[in-house]
Amino acid sequence: METNHLTTLAAVLAAHVGRSEATIAKWCGVHTRLFRRLSEGKGCRVDTYNDALRAFSDRWPADLEWPRDIPRPPKGKKEAA
């Protein structure tokens, strides 16, 4: 579990859409302080990590390239349909 993947995705998406990382956390369905906590070296549960990563993948804008060094999970069943 690479928590820096979540902080990178949050920072890239927040800059792209001009929103705060707390707003991005809401969009991903996680606690608004998650990315700040991770950047402070604290951790999160594996299911929180997986849910956030999946939410990023499902909601990632088409006009923004997914970071190459972060493996992208497949879209969820609901999003793929």
Side-chain angles (χ1 to χ4, degrees):
M1 182 168 79
E2 298 285 336
T3 56
N4 65 316
H5 289 173
L6 294 184
T7 56
T8 298
L9 291 169
V12 169
L13 185 56
H16 181 73
V17 299
R19 300 293 178 113
S20 71
E21 290 184 7
T23 297
I24 302 303
K26 286 181 189 177
W27 292 355
C28 291
V30 296
H31 197 282
T32 57
R33 291 186 302 239
L34 175 66
F35 305 126
R36 181 168 40 107
R37 286 178 44 79
L38 294 176
S39 67
E40 293 171 350
K42 298 175 182 169
C44 69
R45 293 172 26 155
V46 173
D47 59 333
T48 300
Y49 173 86
N50 289 332
D51 290 347
L53 192 59
R54 219 173 295 110
F56 274 119
S57 184
D58 290 347
R59 292 167 179 80
W60 200 256
D63 65 335
L64 180 61
E65 185 176 349
W66 183 269
R68 293 177 192 252
D69 59 333
I70 300 175
R72 186 172 185 173
K75 290 187 179 259
K77 292 178 186 176
K78 194 167 130 180
E79 299 298 323

